[in-house]
Amino acid sequence: MDDRTFSRRRFLIGTALPAAALGMGLSAPAAVEAQTAPALMGPEPVDVMLQVNGRAYPLKVEPRVTLLDALRERLGLTGSKKGCDQGQCGACTVLVDGRRVNACLTLAVATEGKQVTTVEGLARGGRLHPVQQAFIDNDAFQCGYCTPGQICSAVGLIAEGRAGSDAQIRESMSGNICRCGAYTNIVRAVNAAARA
Amino acid sequence: MRPFSYARARTEQDAFSTLAQTARGAYLAGGTNLIDLIKLEVAKPDAVIDINALPLAAIETTPSGELRIGALARMSDTADHPALRSAAPAISQALNLSASAQLRNMATIGGNVLQRTRCVYFRDISQPCNKRRPGSGCSAIGGDDRKMAILGANDRCIAVHPSDFAVAMLLVDATIHLRGPAGERTVPFLGFHRLPDDPSRDTNIQPGELITALTFMPSALTRSSTYIKVRDRASYEFALVSVAAALEVTGGTIRDARIGLGGVAHAPWRSREAEAVLIGKVPSRDLFTAAAEAGLQAAVPQRLNRFKIRMAKNAMIRALTSVGMPA
Ligand SMILES: Cc1cc2nc3c(=O)[nH]c(=O)nc-3n(C[C@H](O)[C@H](O)[C@H](O)COP(=O)(O)OP(=O)(O)OC[C@H]3O[C@@H](n4cnc5c(N)ncnc54)[C@H](O)[C@@H]3O)c2cc1C
Ligand code: SF4
Ligand code: FES
Ligand code: FES
C-alpha cells in the first residue's frame, strides 16, 4: 500500500508538466503506426496518453488494465467507483467522448485519442455542474457510493434528450443501481437538472 | 485478469494478419462481453485485436432498398435509427429493452449476436460445463435451472441465448455478411445460431472471421412487428422469456406471420408451428391462443422453470394482440 501511495503521489507531481511536452508524446507513435500493420503491444506495460477531464496524462499500463483501474489506481481519480466490475451496477459510469459508458468494461489502452470525463471533471470554475447541484438540492443520495456514477449517467441522459418524463428517466437510469434505494430523489434531481 | 497483448486494426486485412500472429487472439468490439469473460477467466485470449477503428459502424439504406447495419454500429445508435424503427419496430424495441444505456452505448451489433450465454455455471470456472470444457458435464442439469431452456435442449447443455436483438432479427429474413482471411461469404441469419449438438459452438462463424454487416429487406410484414420481454425486474435484466412477432394483415386476413422466442433455447427460436396456425386466418383472441399452444407444444421444462411455458404463451398472445388487433 505504501508503494502505491508513493507512486501515485509521485505520478501526480509528474503530470504537472507543460502541455507542450505532452503534445510531443502524441505525434511520434502515431506517425510510425500509419505506415505499418499494427504491432501487438504488451502484455508488458505500454505507453498510452489518456485525455481525462481536459488534461493529458501519459501513462504506462498493461493492455489488460481497465479505464476504471487506470483512473482510480494510477491517476488518483477515485470518484468513479468500483461496484461489481462486471457491467452490472453502473458505479463506474464515466463519459467517453460525451457518451456514458461503464469504465470497468473499457480497456484504458482503447480510450487513447478519446476524451474521458469523470465526476471530478464536471464542475466549471468552482461551480458545481447543474446535475451535481440538483443531487444536493434534492437529497438524491444516502451513502453516496453510487452517486458519481449516477451523476455521470444523468449528464449523459440529459445530453441524449431522454429526460422527457419520470418514467423515461427511470428507464434510462436503470443502468445505475443504488443499494440505498435513493431512486425517488434521484429521479427528482435528474428532472430538476434537465429543466434547469 | 490474465495478461494479454493488444493491437488496433486499421483495416480488415490488419485484423486478419494480426490475429494470425497470435495463439488465441480475440477481436474486441464493445468489450462488454469479452472483457467480462476475460475477468472471469472464461475467455483466455493471449491477445485482443481492437476492431473499433474499422469502418463498419454505418447504418444505411442501400440503393436496392435493403437496410444495412454495420457490425460495429452501437446498440444505442441502432435502436434510435429512424429507418430501422419504421422498417422493423420490433428490432428497435428489442434493442431498447436490452442491458442499460451505458452498455448500449458501448456494445455493438456484431458483438451482440456473438455474445455468450449467461448460464451461471458457464461463467464460473470452478464448475463443470460442456460449453466451456467439452466433456466435463453440465452443472445446470439438476442444478439451478430456472432460467434455462425449454425448447431444443439436450442432455449436454440446457443454456439459452441471451440476446434480445437476435430474437427480433428472426422476423426479417436477415443476411449475415462475414469476411475472413479466405474471403467473403454471406449466411442467412436463421440457422446461424446452433442448437447444442456441440455446446462448445454457439454459432456457425469460422475461426478468424469477422461479421461485417447484417442486411434485410423491409416489407409490410417487418413494418408490422413488436417485441415483448418478460424478466425478473423491469429493466437492466435479461429475458426470462421474450417474443418477437410480425403479422401482415390485409383485408382482415393474416397473409404472413413470423414468431421468434427468446430465453427458451440455445438459439433464438423461430416458431414455425405458431406461424402455421396464424397464416390465412382472421385475427382473434382464440386464434392467438391456438398459435401460442402450438408454439409451445414441444416445450419440455426443467425442474424449476415450468412457469416459462405459460409465460411464453401469454407473452405470445400479448404480442400478437398488439400487432394483429391494435386497440
Ligand atoms: C450487465 C449486462 C446486462 C446485459 N443485458 C442484456 C440484455 O438485456 N439483452 C441483451 O441482448 N444483451 C444484454 N447484455 C449483453 C450485451 O448486449 C453484449 O455484451 C453486447 O451486445 C456484446 O457486444 P460487444 O460489442 O460489447 O461485444 P464484445 O464483448 O466486444 O465481443 C463479444 C464477442 O464477439 C466477438 N466479436 C465482436 N464483434 C465481432 C465482429 N464484428 N466479428 C467477429 N467477432 C466479433 C468478440 O471477439 C467476442 O468473442 C448485457 C450485458 C451486461 C454486461
Ligand atoms: S447449460 Fe450449457 S452452458 Fe450451462 S453448465 Fe450446462 S453445458 Fe455449461
Ligand atoms: S463497476 Fe462497472 S458496472 Fe459495476
Ligand atoms: S446512495 Fe448508497 S448506493 Fe446509492
Side-chain angles (χ1 to χ4, degrees):
Chain A
M1 173 209 150
D2 278 351
D3 264 15
R4 179 179 291 170
T5 316
F6 173 70
S7 66
R8 180 188 294 166
R9 188 174 302 135
R10 203 174 50 173
F11 176 73
L12 286 175
I13 295 165
T15 53
L17 285 173
L22 300 175
M24 281 165 47
L26 268 179
S27 46
V32 177
E33 231 170 37
Q35 310 279 330
T36 52
L40 282 160
M41 311 188 288
E44 304 77 26
V46 300
D47 287 312
V48 275
M49 182 71 71
L50 293 191
Q51 308 282 335
V52 184
N53 299 331
R55 231 169 103 179
Y57 294 91
L59 264 190
K60 247 186 165 11
V61 292
E62 293 176 50
R64 64 173 164 168
V65 172
T66 61
L67 176 61
L68 180 62
D69 285 340
L71 291 169
R72 291 179 53 83
E73 308 292 334
R74 303 294 298 280
L75 305 188
L77 294 170
T78 54
S80 310
K81 296 291 186 274
K82 187 182 283 191
C84 65
D85 213 21
Q86 295 192 328
Q88 298 179 5
C89 77
C92 64
T93 304
V94 300
L95 301 162
V96 173
D97 287 344
R99 287 160 68 109
R100 45 185 168 153
V101 301
N102 304 86
C104 70
L105 295 181
T106 304
L107 294 181
V109 280
T111 55
E112 198 163 35
K114 297 182 177 159
Q115 300 293 332
V116 178
T117 307
T118 68
V119 71
E120 290 93 340
L122 292 176
R124 285 279 167 275
R127 281 181 76 90
L128 290 178
H129 186 282
V131 174
Q132 292 174 304
Q133 191 60 51
F135 268 64
I136 294 171
D137 296 345
N138 290 278
D139 198 15
F141 47 87
Q142 290 170 40
C143 78
Y145 195 81
C146 72
T147 311
Q150 300 276 3
I151 289 175
C152 287
S153 188
V155 171
L157 175 158
I158 293 168
E160 292 160 16
R162 283 181 206 279
S165 65
D166 281 5
Q168 197 185 20
I169 292 171
R170 246 182 250 117
E171 168 58 33
S172 187
M173 287 293 288
S174 73
N176 294 83
I177 306 289
C178 176
R179 191 63 209 269
C180 300
Y183 297 111
T184 308
N185 288 356
I186 291 170
V187 172
R188 204 168 284 159
V190 177
N191 222 324
R195 281 156 238 313
Chain B
M1 212 188 322
R2 288 167 184 248
F4 51 80
S5 48
Y6 173 88
R8 195 174 295 138
R10 305 274 168 208
T11 64
E12 285 156 19
Q13 278 313 319
D14 272 3
F16 303 143
S17 59
T18 312
L19 188 76
Q21 297 165 33
T22 71
R24 295 180 317 279
Y27 295 134
L28 175 74
T32 62
N33 192 222
L34 183 63
I35 302 299
D36 188 24
L37 293 178
I38 293 175
K39 288 183 187 187
L40 296 171
E41 298 193 7
V42 171
K44 286 176 278 192
D46 59 339
V48 305
I49 294 141
D50 188 342
I51 58 172
N52 285 286
L54 303 183
L56 299 175
I59 303 167
E60 59 204 357
T61 305
T62 66
S64 67
E66 278 192 327
L67 206 76
R68 182 184 176 89
I69 309 172
L72 290 173
R74 304 293 143 173
M75 287 171 75
S76 53
D77 299 326
T78 311
D80 293 335
H81 198 279
L84 179 71
R85 196 178 302 138
S86 62
I91 299 175
S92 291
Q93 292 160 7
L95 286 166
N96 272 323
L97 292 169
S98 300
S100 67
Q102 290 92 318
L103 289 161
R104 294 194 297 271
N105 277 340
M106 303 172 72
T108 65
I109 289 305
N112 186 284
V113 168
L114 294 171
Q115 66 176 301
R116 315 277 335 248
T117 182
R118 305 300 291 196
C119 170
V120 291
Y121 304 104
F122 171 73
R123 292 168 57 82
D124 177 350
I125 57 166
S126 73
Q127 302 295 317
C129 166
N130 285 328
K131 185 178 283 301
R132 188 168 23 73
R133 202 154 14 97
S136 63
C138 171
S139 302
I141 295 175
D144 181 355
D145 56 17
R146 179 173 171 270
K147 295 189 175 175
M148 299 296 165
I150 55 172
L151 285 162
N154 60 25
D155 59 2
R156 274 153 281 162
C157 179
I158 59 172
V160 299
H161 195 268
S163 167
D164 293 293
F165 170 76
V167 177
M169 287 301 284
L170 295 176
L171 303 180
V172 301
D173 277 335
T175 300
I176 303 186
H177 299 252
L178 295 155
R179 197 170 300 149
E184 270 184 89
R185 65 182 182 119
T186 57
V187 295
F189 190 88
L190 264 168
F192 181 67
H193 293 91
R194 300 168 59 99
L195 289 176
D197 53 323
D198 169 3
S200 70
R201 294 185 64 199
D202 297 347
T203 70
N204 289 319
I205 197 166
Q206 296 301 315
E209 271 185 327
L210 280 172
I211 297 183
T212 55
L214 302 178
T215 55
F216 71 91
M217 184 61 87
S219 68
L221 178 70
T222 69
R223 278 188 274 271
S224 171
S225 62
T226 196
Y227 188 75
I228 284 183
K229 179 172 180 180
V230 187
R231 43 189 165 172
D232 280 331
R233 57 181 181 194
S235 184
Y236 198 13
E237 183 58 273
F238 291 92
L240 285 169
V241 155
S242 70
V243 177
L247 288 180
E248 186 188 343
V249 184
T250 43
T253 302
I254 298 170
R255 303 287 164 196
D256 203 356
R258 273 305 163 83
I259 307 287
L261 293 173
V264 297
H266 192 264
W269 185 268
R270 177 174 172 189
S271 183
R272 292 178 195 270
E273 296 81 4
E275 292 168 11
V277 169
L278 295 164
I279 293 170
K281 309 278 174 38
V282 176
S284 74
R285 177 88 191 176
D286 286 348
L287 180 70
F288 297 158
T289 305
E293 291 297 333
L296 275 300
Q297 187 158 28
V300 180
Q302 311 298 334
R303 287 185 315 158
L304 303 175
N305 70 4
R306 183 170 293 276
F307 72 93
K308 274 194 178 188
I309 298 177
R310 176 92 167 272
M311 190 177 262
K313 287 180 190 169
N314 288 343
M316 199 193 294
I317 295 167
R318 239 173 82 205
L320 287 169
T321 306
S322 96
V323 278
M325 298 195 303

